Amino acid sequence: MAVTRRAFNGGLATTTALAGGFGLTATPIVSRSRIYRGPNVIIVRFGGGVRRLETIDAKATYAPFLRHTLVKRGVLIPNVTIAQLDGVNTSHAEGTLNILTGRYRGYRDAGSRVGADHLEPTEPTLFEYFRRTFNVPRHQALLINGEDRPQEEFFTYGVHRHYGIKYRSEMLSLHRFKLYKLQKILAGPSLTDQARIAAEKEFKKLRDLDYRGSGLRQSAKINAFWDRWMAHYGQTGLVNPRGDRLLTALGVRAVKELRPKLMMINYQDPDYVHWGNASHYTRAISVIDQGLLQLVAAVDADPEYRDNTVFVVVPDCGRDANPLMGIPFQHHFNSKSAHEIWALVFGPGIVNGKVLDKPVDQTALAPTLGAVMGFKTPASEGDVLEEVFV
Amino acid sequence: MMSRVASLDPDKMRLHASLLARSGRGIGKLVRFIAAVLACLTPVTALFVLGALQQLMRRVGTQQIEKLGDHLIRRPHADPTADVLSASDRLRSGRLKRAIDTLRQYFVEGCQAAFSLAIATLPFSLLWLFSWWAGWENSFNKGYEQSWVGPSLGLLGVFVALNVLIYVPMGLAHQAMEHRWQSFFHIRRVVSLIDCAGWRYVALAGLTAVAGLPLFAAQGLPVFIENIRPGFEHFTAEQVKEVAGQFKLLAAIYVVVALVILRWLAARLYARALGPAVRRHAQLWAASGYEVRGSEPMRGAAGRSWMRQIGRIVRIGLLWVILFGLVAQIFVAQFLNYQWWNWLTHPFYLLPWVR
């Protein structure tokens, strides 16, 4: 009987958990003193939930830069799927954690509320693997999140006993910026009582969104980043870009100022199609495509990043293709199309202009990226995609 | 042959004739039902159904008023005699002409009902449509400065809807009985009827909200079609069309049955409330030509008016809560399976149109 990697890992996880309970787990020997000399990796989550048709279909795409330009620079994997397993939900947080951990159901519910899932990884994320293996400061392992999804603030680290907070990534998001801004305002001397009360109220509201309080302990480099951001865009929030354009702005700025080795950008706005305006979906895809154009241009213009950066573009989940519906773009109901995604990998060491025409699992991306960066992802279920490498 | 006919028992012949007439009526009803179901499938033909329902209400209401014998007199000039005259004319004309004339009347009355209902419901349904559209448009474009606009308009729409939806069944019954579209807007008279209908009207609202659930399901179920019909994702366009057709047909059958029951009940409630309303508000109802025969005393002593007032307030509160259930169904269904026109029309308060 053939044992799949998923089944094997499932058993392994159970064994490890049991052994860990008795203090028997053998922690892999790693040398954090290792200096990272591999390529930079930028993961672009083409979220929240897109179908193949409007993205990688050459005739119907709303992402022309992705489809007509970037595809020629790397390997397009058109048949990536999210496995049909019990408890696997085709949604944004889940899909993102599948990508980050290389494992299905590698998370736990840490107190979800209606309309705001609250998942935290129980398996190590790529950031944790990376920072545990290499001596990389946390501001160079970056997660960039949208302003409307504070629930994704929890992806910077998981609760795995051998990884976790020590190896966390930093987060760039408006939520973090506002926390920084309010901390600074509250520490300032010239605040009226009324202004202080208002600032404290807003600060508490933001702080309560993240029970782990990670946003209050941003590194000096990140604080300096926000200082420069504030000097440029001011404090009001009315000047800086918004929506997914904000993520692009943060990503481009981060490349210039923080020099990340591993960065994930979580685009999200195609998800607005839930509420009935199909144009929000297609428009948001175009906005992400323009974001990709700017990111790639920023990387290509930087001597340290040019020819030394691997991009992976992958959706968190697909969307329905239900002809019975007026707006056939939901993704929560376990439809076949919601499980169908794709991926594009390009950069140094990756084959140019290839279409990898075989079924690939979403969990294969984490071990493949581990292979790109030089670390193993033992908890992942997927296999390394050897075919993408030169 | 002659001898065979002559040998038949006259009682048996009458029985046969009665059975034939009954089965003829049954077949006629079935044909009308099938026609109504099919007519629900397009917005224009749905007007015929709406008109037929108005006529049903008038028939039921009139029968019920006669049956109750509520000491009411209606002055002849206010009677819908035009309808009676045209009915007698129809009896004298041929079958085809009669059918065409009936359809014409259904259509005209359907248009009138749709017009009244549209005037009544568009203030909230347009608020919903634009609040939804503008709210999400604003949200997509991150216009946080105007984020209050969408939800506020939506909530205002809900408030307007709760009050209008209380009014609609009785307003429609009044329009049917008066046979004039303007009658829908005899607000004080309709309110007096609602008041006199008492707790039965609350029950009708409850039934309406419960009856809305299958329609809510019909809108939401297609979302789960791959779970309901395994292999749906591989269906051809023809097969998909077939499934969609089945969905629509079932929904249309349900809509016709539900509307006949709801409108039938509304007409009976109208008839029941009319007498007390005319007694309590004689001057108001004089405009409709109604007056009380003799000097029958008004039921309910004046000393208990405070109890009536409390009962009225409780009923209105309950009606709000119950009808909020119907409104919630509309919103949740839109979250599941959005169709912009579902803000504007619902089989229970505008067109009996199933899409």
Side-chain angles (χ1 to χ4, degrees):
Chain A
M1 190 181 78
V3 178
T4 64
R5 187 178 164 91
R6 183 179 301 131
F8 174 76
N9 277 328
L12 186 69
T14 311
T15 314
T16 309
L18 286 170
F22 294 102
L24 300 173
T25 309
T27 310
I29 297 164
V30 289
S31 162
R32 279 208 73 218
S33 61
R34 281 173 64 190
I35 294 168
Y36 182 65
R37 298 189 196 282
N40 307 304
V41 168
I42 296 178
I43 308 168
V44 176
R45 180 184 86 174
F46 210 114
V50 289
R51 304 194 302 192
R52 293 171 182 164
L53 181 68
E54 291 84 9
T55 47
I56 57 163
D57 184 296
K59 286 181 184 160
T61 185
Y62 284 83
F65 178 66
L66 169 90
R67 184 61 189 86
H68 304 311
T69 305
L70 289 182
V71 161
K72 292 176 190 162
R73 289 177 59 168
V75 180
L76 174 66
I77 315 166
N79 191 10
V80 179
T81 52
I82 299 168
Q84 293 266 9
L85 298 170
D86 279 347
V88 169
N89 185 14
T90 45
S91 196
H92 316 300
E94 291 86 343
T96 308
L97 289 171
N98 297 344
I99 296 165
L100 273 176
T101 62
R103 200 177 173 90
Y104 293 115
R105 297 168 294 199
Y107 41 78
R108 71 178 183 190
D109 192 320
S112 296
R113 281 170 291 175
V114 177
D117 43 4
H118 182 151
L119 308 177
E120 61 183 4
T122 51
E123 301 295 338
T125 62
L126 284 172
F127 298 111
E128 292 162 80
Y129 284 128
F130 180 50
R131 291 199 59 233
R132 191 164 193 256
T133 312
F134 297 104
N135 186 13
V136 174
R138 65 180 201 249
H139 70 268
Q140 289 188 326
L142 274 179
L143 192 54
I144 299 182
N145 263 355
E147 52 194 308
D148 292 334
R149 297 191 63 78
Q151 61 266 46
E152 287 173 5
E153 298 287 308
F154 307 102
F155 299 167
T156 49
Y157 64 93
V159 293
H160 193 284
R161 53 182 297 178
H162 299 301
Y163 293 84
I165 191 165
K166 193 176 171 191
Y167 305 108
R168 72 180 183 270
S169 68
E170 280 287 8
M171 168 80 75
L172 295 180
S173 67
L174 272 200
H175 176 250
R176 295 289 170 108
F177 169 66
K178 286 176 193 167
L179 278 173
Y180 172 73
K181 180 187 82 176
L182 287 166
Q183 276 178 308
K184 201 165 178 180
I185 287 171
L186 287 167
S190 56
L191 209 58
T192 63
D193 286 350
Q194 206 178 355
R196 181 172 295 281
I197 289 166
E200 277 172 354
K201 196 174 162 191
E202 198 187 341
F203 180 69
K204 184 178 179 308
K205 195 172 141 195
L206 288 168
R207 192 191 57 197
D208 290 349
L209 288 172
D210 177 5
Y211 77 102
R212 304 195 298 193
S214 313
L216 305 175
R217 300 189 298 270
Q218 302 186 77
S219 69
K221 289 274 187 184
I222 298 293
N223 287 343
F225 177 89
W226 291 132
D227 270 336
R228 289 189 294 273
W229 179 271
M230 199 147 63
H232 188 73
Y233 289 117
Q235 293 188 7
T236 62
L238 304 179
V239 182
N240 55 265
R242 298 180 184 189
D244 279 349
R245 289 189 183 89
L246 167 75
L247 272 65
T248 303
L250 285 169
V252 168
R253 208 168 247 267
V255 166
K256 286 179 185 156
E257 297 180 9
L258 297 171
R259 316 301 284 170
K261 304 290 183 195
L262 173 61
M263 178 166 83
M264 181 177 198
I265 304 176
N266 287 334
Y267 287 115
Q268 180 62 32
D269 282 352
D271 200 40
Y272 274 91
V273 75
H274 273 304
W275 323 119
N277 292 350
S279 63
H280 288 168
Y281 173 59
T282 51
R283 185 79 204 113
I285 290 173
S286 299
V287 169
I288 296 176
D289 192 52
Q290 287 152 23
L292 273 170
L293 177 70
Q294 290 178 52
L295 281 166
V296 172
V299 164
D300 286 348
D302 190 314
E304 279 182 42
Y305 277 78
R306 185 174 53 235
D307 301 327
N308 189 32
T309 303
V310 172
F311 278 84
V312 176
V313 187
V314 58
D316 42 7
C317 61
R319 301 199 88 89
D320 298 350
N322 184 339
L324 294 182
M325 293 172 65
I327 304 291
F329 305 114
Q330 304 292 330
H331 61 84
H332 288 292
F333 306 107
N334 205 30
S335 72
K336 181 172 173 275
S337 181
H339 284 262
E340 293 174 343
I341 52 169
W342 48 269
L344 174 67
V345 189
F346 63 95
I350 307 295
V351 181
N352 276 0
K354 178 177 174 178
V355 175
L356 179 57
D357 200 9
K358 73 166 198 179
V360 168
D361 200 274
Q362 192 181 31
T363 54
L365 293 166
T368 306
L369 286 174
V372 167
M373 302 188 85
F375 57 82
K376 290 196 186 309
T377 56
S380 70
E381 293 176 300
D383 297 312
V384 175
L385 293 169
E386 303 289 354
E387 298 94 325
V388 304
F389 299 115
V390 175
Chain B
M1 183 78 180
M2 285 293 286
S3 62
R4 234 185 113 191
V5 171
S7 69
L8 280 174
D9 182 352
D11 284 348
K12 276 188 181 172
M13 280 180 70
R14 270 198 296 275
L15 184 67
H16 282 174
S18 157
L19 280 173
L20 270 174
R22 253 190 230 176
S23 50
R25 277 199 298 274
I27 291 167
K29 275 182 185 169
L30 183 66
V31 169
R32 280 202 295 278
F33 177 75
I34 292 168
V37 168
L38 295 176
C40 284
L41 300 178
T42 76
V44 175
T45 50
L47 289 166
F48 289 95
V49 181
L50 194 55
L53 288 165
Q54 287 299 93
Q55 294 203 5
L56 170 81
M57 286 175 102
R58 185 157 54 250
R59 199 166 57 247
V60 172
T62 307
Q63 284 168 359
Q64 192 65 14
I65 288 168
E66 283 169 10
K67 199 171 146 189
L68 288 170
D70 229 356
H71 303 282
L72 288 181
I73 304 169
R74 192 166 200 194
R75 288 194 301 277
H77 75 273
D79 260 347
T81 46
D83 188 34
V84 175
L85 285 175
S86 68
S88 58
D89 283 346
R90 279 205 303 274
L91 285 173
R92 283 197 292 272
S93 56
R95 187 175 287 180
L96 179 66
K97 193 161 179 282
R98 275 209 309 271
I100 291 170
D101 196 39
T102 304
L103 285 175
R104 185 188 62 78
Q105 291 212 1
Y106 282 168
F107 186 71
V108 169
E109 208 158 337
C111 288
Q112 288 173 343
F115 182 69
S116 313
L117 286 170
I119 289 176
T121 59
L122 279 178
F124 70 80
S125 60
L126 280 175
L127 273 175
W128 285 347
L129 175 70
F130 288 121
S131 80
W132 190 267
W133 176 79
W136 290 114
E137 192 68 20
N138 180 65
S139 192
F140 178 73
N141 291 301
K142 317 294 173 194
Y144 297 127
E145 300 86 339
Q146 296 91 36
S147 63
W148 59 274
V149 175
S152 305
L153 286 180
L155 286 173
L156 180 64
V158 170
F159 178 73
V160 175
L162 291 181
N163 293 289
V164 171
L165 291 178
I166 290 176
Y167 185 91
V168 160
M170 199 59 96
L172 212 51
H174 185 60
Q175 178 173 338
M177 294 300 291
E178 296 285 302
H179 204 187
R180 279 198 306 256
W181 71 265
Q182 298 95 326
S183 308
F184 185 91
F185 301 99
H186 291 159
I187 294 172
R188 290 177 66 198
R189 271 170 269 181
V190 172
V191 168
S192 74
L193 287 164
I194 293 171
D195 189 26
C196 292
W199 293 98
R200 286 187 176 85
Y201 202 67
V202 178
L204 177 68
L207 189 66
T208 307
V210 172
L213 287 170
L215 293 176
F216 161 70
Q219 193 180 341
L221 276 180
V223 177
F224 307 97
I225 190 68
E226 287 185 26
N227 302 315
I228 299 167
R229 289 288 291 266
F232 178 82
E233 64 272 26
H234 304 299
F235 277 19
T236 62
E238 279 301 307
Q239 287 172 308
V240 169
K241 212 172 157 186
E242 195 185 317
V243 172
Q246 287 167 357
F247 252 111
K248 278 174 74 170
L249 203 61
L250 284 174
I253 290 169
Y254 176 75
V255 162
V256 172
V257 172
L259 278 175
V260 165
I261 294 170
L262 291 173
R263 297 283 154 87
W264 184 80
L265 287 172
R268 283 176 67 92
L269 269 185
Y270 180 94
R272 190 179 271 273
L274 185 63
V278 173
R279 280 183 199 91
R280 236 179 251 171
H281 310 277
Q283 274 191 321
L284 194 61
W285 281 94
S288 285
Y290 282 106
E291 54 191 58
V292 184
R293 191 187 296 142
S295 56
E296 200 202 355
M298 203 173 80
R299 275 173 241 161
R304 280 183 284 160
S305 66
W306 64 272
M307 279 181 71
R308 252 205 327 266
Q309 195 61 25
I310 290 172
R312 191 178 289 148
I313 291 166
V314 172
R315 280 200 302 274
I316 289 171
L318 268 175
L319 283 167
W320 276 343
V321 170
I322 289 166
L323 290 170
F324 183 76
L326 185 66
V327 170
Q329 287 171 26
I330 293 166
F331 271 78
V332 176
Q334 289 288 64
F335 267 104
L336 284 172
N337 184 9
Y338 183 78
Q339 311 274 16
W340 66 266
W341 53 83
N342 281 341
W343 291 126
L344 299 180
T345 180
H346 185 285
F348 289 175
Y349 62 69
L350 191 51
L351 278 183
W353 169 39
V354 174
R355 193 183 183 285

